[in-house]
Amino acid sequence: MLGVIKKLLVISLMLVLLSGVSFALTSVSVSSPTVNQNVSGSILLNATTDQTAVNATFHWYDDSNGSLIYSATIYNVTSNTVFENASFNTALLADGIYNITVNATNSTDSVVSNVSITGVTIDNTVPGINVVIPSASTWYNENFTITLNVTDTNNIASVYYRVLNSTGTNVSDWTSLVLGSGLYTGTFDITSQSDAANYTFEFNATDNFGNSNSSINVTGVSIEDTAPEINSLAVSSVSTSGGTLTVNSTDGVAGISNCTYVDAGTGSLALGSGLYTATLSGLSASTAYTVNVTCTDLAGNTQSNTTDFTTSAASSSSSSSSSSSSSGGGGSSSTQSTTYVTNTWYVIEEGTSETLTIESGEIGVTEVGFGVNEDVWGGWLKVKLIDEDDLSGSVNDIEKEVYQYVTFSTGTTLNDDVLTDIIISFKVDKSWLESLGLTKQEVSLYRYADFSWSSLDAEYVEEDNSYYYYQATSPGFSYFAIAEGEVSVTESTSEEVTEEVIEDVVEESTVTEDTTVSEAEGLAEDDLVEEVAVGDTEESFEEVIEKDSPLMNVLLILLFLLIVGFLVWWFKFDGKNISQKQINKIKKCCKKKK
C-alpha cells in the first residue's frame, strides 16, 4: 500500500513539473510596426504571445542616444495571447527614428521581450511653403514664373497650385510644379485667364509620409496685358511760350497710374474732372512742337500718342491744331485712326448740338450728331470699329449678315440721360451688298440694348461709285451693327418729286386717231395747268389764279395759248396719233414740284 502511495506522489510531482514547462511564457512577436517603417499620425500596434499573457508593452527608444522616450501598454481584452489593433498616435513623439522593444507579462509577472523592431521613422510635420512669386496685391502684365521654396525633413512627394477668381470660384485645375535648383517652379500664362483684379493662388505640398500643407495662398494677384487708351489729346490756350495740354486716357481693368509728356518740356499731368492736364511753359514763340504723351496703367502697360501745335508769334494771336476736330461752342479735340475716332468737348452748353465727322475710310459710320439737355463738361465720345470676337461676353451675335460692328462709348458726363436727337450717318460698300444678292433697300442699323438687337429706322440718302449712304436716329449709344435689313429703308432724295400723269384724263393707252386738236387742247387746259409752276415762286398755279390779278390773268391766257399752239404744231407735223410717250414728254416739260 505504501508503495502505491509513493507512486502516486511521484506521478503527481511529474505532472506538476510537466505543467510548469508547458504553460511557461517564453516569447512575444510583433507584426506592427515593422522594421524601417515610415509612420505618421495614428498607427496600429499588434503583438502575439506563445502563452497566456496579461499585457504587452511597446517601449520607444530614441535611435540616436538609446534613451526611453515613451511606453504604450496593451491589455488583454479578447484573447490571452493576441494584443492587436490598438491605435497609437505617433504625434505623442517627436519626429525622428526609433527602436521598439515589446515586453509581454503573464499573471506571475514573468516577462519576455522582443527587441527586433528597429529603424521606425516618425514624421508628423507638414512641408513648409515659402512663395517667392507671385506677390500679394500685385499687378502682372506678362507671363511669370511661379516660384516656391518647399522644405521638409523628408522628401517631398508633390507640389501643386491652382487659381481662384475674386468670387472664390476655381478657374484652373491643380497644376504641378517642378523641382529644380532647390526650388519648385512653373510658368503661368496670363492669357489663360481674363484680365481682372484679385485672383487668389492656392498651393499644396505633400511629403512622402503623406503630410500635406494646403494652408498657403497668395491673394490680390491681378492680371492685365492690355494697354490703356488715349482717347483724346490736345493743346489749347496756346501762347507765345506754352499752352494747356489736355489728355483723356482710360483703362478698362487696372486703371491709369500716371501720364507724362516730353518734347515740349517734360513733366507729369495731373488728374482732375476725368481729364489729365499740364501747363506747358518755357517754349519758343512761333515754333512748331510735337508733344508726346505716355500713359501707364497700374499693371505697367503703356500707351503713347502725339499732337502738334505751334506757339504764337510775339505779336499775334495764338493757334493750335490736332489731328481732327468737331464743332462745339466750348472747343474740342479729336484723335482719329483707321479703326476708331475719339473726340473730347471741353464744354457743351445746354440746348446746343455737336457733330463728329469720321474721316476713316474703314469705319462704316461717317458722322454722328447729337444734342444735350444740360451743360456737359469734359464729355467725350469714341466710335470704334470692332470684330465679332470683340463683342462683350454679354452681347449676343446678331443673326443677320453683318457688314460691320461698331461700338460707341462715352465719358461719364456724356451719358444717355443728357443726350438728345442722336443721328447716325453710315455707309455700306456696294460690292458687299452685291456679293450677298442684296439691294440698297435691304440695309438697316441695329442697336444692342436690354440684351437684344433692335432695328432703327434708317433712310437711304445718296450713293457714289463705291458706297450707299444712309441715316438713322437712335435713342442712345451702345453696340451697333450695320447689317442686312428686315424691312426696306425709306429713300429720301432731293430729286424726289410728285408727278401728275396725263393718264388721269387720257386713257392708259395712246390717244387714238380720232383724238382731235380740241381734245388735246382740253387735255392741256384741264390737266397740264395743274402741273405748271410759275417762275420760281412756291405758289401753285391755282393760288395765282385765286388772286384774280389782271396781270396773272394775262399770263394765264398767254400760257394757255402757248400750250395750245404747241399741241397743234405737234399734231400737225408729227402725225395724227399722239402716243403715250409723247404725252409723257409734254408732262415732263410742264411738271411742277409739289
Side-chain angles (χ1 to χ4, degrees):
M1 184 67 179
L2 181 60
V4 173
I5 294 173
K6 288 181 178 180
K7 288 181 179 179
L8 289 175
L9 289 174
V10 170
I11 292 171
S12 298
L13 180 60
M14 292 178 64
L15 289 174
V16 170
L17 292 175
L18 289 174
S19 176
V21 172
S22 302
F23 294 96
L25 181 61
T26 61
S27 67
V28 56
S29 61
V30 179
S31 59
S32 175
T34 60
V35 175
N36 296 326
Q37 183 179 355
N38 298 327
V39 296
S40 64
S42 294
I43 62 172
L44 296 178
L45 302 180
N46 292 317
T48 59
T49 58
D50 62 337
Q51 297 297 329
T52 299
V54 176
N55 59 56
T57 302
F58 290 70
H59 301 285
W60 296 76
Y61 293 90
D62 190 330
D63 178 72
S64 63
N65 55 30
S67 60
L68 177 63
I69 303 301
Y70 195 87
S71 296
T73 300
I74 304 173
Y75 290 90
N76 189 312
V77 177
T78 60
S79 172
N80 294 330
T81 60
V82 178
F83 304 86
E84 62 182 5
N85 297 330
S87 178
F88 176 71
N89 184 7
T90 61
L92 296 172
L93 303 175
D95 289 358
I97 301 175
Y98 293 85
N99 300 318
I100 302 174
T101 297
V102 180
N103 294 337
T105 304
N106 64 11
S107 59
T108 62
D109 293 330
S110 175
V111 179
V112 294
S113 299
N114 186 316
V115 295
S116 62
I117 312 303
T118 60
V120 177
T121 301
I122 293 178
D123 182 3
N124 286 306
T125 303
V126 299
I129 301 175
N130 177 37
V131 181
V132 181
I133 300 174
S135 299
S137 303
T138 302
W139 284 92
Y140 291 89
N141 63 5
E142 61 184 1
N143 296 346
F144 57 88
T145 300
I146 297 174
T147 304
L148 273 63
N149 182 13
V150 182
T151 57
D152 193 78
T153 55
N154 293 288
N155 292 333
I156 299 298
S158 62
V159 178
Y160 289 90
Y161 79 92
R162 68 177 178 180
V163 182
L164 287 69
N165 63 17
S166 59
T167 64
T169 302
N170 296 335
V171 292
S172 78
D173 296 327
W174 284 105
T175 304
S176 63
L177 300 175
V178 179
L179 178 63
S181 301
L183 298 172
Y184 286 84
T185 62
T187 300
F188 180 73
D189 182 2
I190 66 172
T191 62
S192 65
Q193 303 298 333
S194 302
D195 286 356
N198 295 323
Y199 285 104
T200 295
F201 281 66
E202 287 188 344
F203 300 95
N204 174 280
T206 304
D207 63 20
N208 288 329
F209 285 69
N211 301 301
S212 180
N213 184 357
S214 296
S215 64
I216 304 301
N217 58 63
V218 175
T219 60
V221 179
S222 303
I223 298 168
E224 186 187 18
D225 62 352
T226 303
E229 295 185 350
I230 296 180
N231 303 303
S232 64
L233 168 64
V235 178
S236 60
S237 303
V238 178
S239 66
T240 57
S241 60
T244 299
L245 175 61
T246 304
V247 177
N248 181 291
S249 182
T250 56
D251 186 81
V253 180
I256 300 297
S257 173
N258 62 78
C259 291
T260 59
Y261 68 91
V262 295
D263 298 334
T266 59
S268 299
L269 291 88
L271 177 63
S273 301
L275 299 173
Y276 291 85
T277 60
T279 300
L280 306 179
S281 60
L283 306 181
S284 301
S286 301
T287 303
Y289 289 90
T290 299
V291 61
N292 189 319
V293 173
T294 298
C295 292
T296 306
D297 65 20
L298 292 172
N301 303 297
T302 62
Q303 181 70 274
S304 297
N305 209 339
T306 62
T307 190
D308 300 329
F309 71 100
T310 301
T311 52
S312 304
S315 60
S316 63
S317 59
S318 62
S319 63
S320 169
S321 65
S322 62
S323 59
S324 65
S325 63
S326 66
S327 62
S332 67
S333 63
S334 181
T335 301
Q336 299 215 22
S337 74
T338 56
T339 59
Y340 74 91
V341 58
T342 305
N343 199 87
T344 300
W345 291 267
Y346 305 132
V347 60
I348 308 174
E349 296 179 355
E350 178 183 356
T352 62
S353 61
E354 296 291 344
T355 300
L356 174 58
T357 301
I358 300 173
E359 300 172 355
S360 168
E362 299 294 327
I363 305 175
V365 176
T366 58
E367 188 175 87
V368 183
F370 62 90
V372 294
N373 55 26
E374 63 181 52
D375 290 345
V376 174
W377 296 86
W380 59 268
L381 168 63
K382 181 175 184 179
V383 181
K384 184 177 182 181
L385 172 65
I386 61 174
D387 295 328
E388 181 178 315
D389 295 338
D390 295 328
L391 293 173
S392 170
S394 61
V395 178
N396 301 321
D397 298 342
I398 188 171
E399 296 181 357
K400 300 286 182 182
E401 293 289 347
V402 177
Y403 177 63
Q404 280 187 3
Y405 285 104
V406 182
T407 179
F408 287 60
S409 54
T410 65
T412 56
T413 59
L414 190 63
N415 53 60
D416 286 350
D417 292 335
V418 303
L419 289 166
T420 62
D421 303 323
I422 298 173
I423 299 177
I424 300 173
S425 299
F426 62 98
K427 64 183 180 181
V428 176
D429 195 314
K430 290 182 175 181
S431 62
W432 181 78
L433 290 174
E434 292 172 359
S435 67
L436 297 173
L438 301 175
T439 66
K440 66 182 180 182
Q441 285 81 19
E442 296 177 290
V443 173
S444 189
L445 183 64
Y446 295 84
R447 176 176 179 262
Y448 189 83
D450 299 327
F451 305 102
S452 64
W453 291 96
S454 58
S455 177
L456 305 177
D457 292 333
E459 292 185 351
Y460 167 80
V461 177
E462 60 182 353
E463 64 182 274
D464 57 24
N465 291 335
S466 301
Y467 295 95
Y468 293 115
Y469 294 87
Y470 305 86
Q471 194 174 80
T473 59
S474 176
F477 293 136
S478 180
Y479 290 95
F480 289 85
I482 303 172
E484 171 190 2
E486 295 182 347
V487 296
S488 299
V489 290
T490 303
E491 291 197 22
S492 175
T493 171
S494 60
E495 297 179 356
E496 183 179 296
V497 296
T498 304
E499 297 183 354
E500 297 290 337
V501 182
I502 294 179
E503 296 148 12
D504 292 338
V505 293
V506 183
E507 292 187 7
E508 292 183 357
S509 61
T510 62
V511 179
T512 65
E513 293 182 356
D514 296 330
T515 302
T516 64
V517 173
S518 61
E519 290 174 336
E521 291 174 350
L523 172 64
E525 179 178 357
D526 296 337
D527 187 66
L528 296 183
V529 167
E530 293 183 0
E531 296 299 316
V532 176
V534 179
D536 294 329
T537 180
E538 295 181 356
E539 296 176 316
S540 68
F541 197 77
E542 292 84 352
E543 290 173 326
V544 174
I545 295 175
E546 287 174 2
K547 288 191 175 182
D548 200 24
S549 167
L551 178 59
M552 291 298 102
N553 291 333
V554 171
L555 291 176
L556 180 59
I557 293 171
L558 291 176
L559 179 60
F560 175 78
L561 293 175
L562 178 63
I563 294 173
V564 171
F566 172 74
L567 292 175
V568 170
W569 175 84
W570 187 278
F571 185 81
K572 180 177 181 181
F573 293 100
D574 200 43
K576 296 184 180 294
N577 291 330
I578 301 177
S579 67
Q580 183 67 39
K581 179 177 179 182
Q582 292 165 339
I583 293 174
N584 288 337
K585 287 182 178 180
I586 297 171
K587 178 264 300 183
K588 289 181 179 178
C589 291
C590 303
K591 70 180 180 179
K592 74 180 183 70
K593 183 177 180 180
K594 288 189 176 180

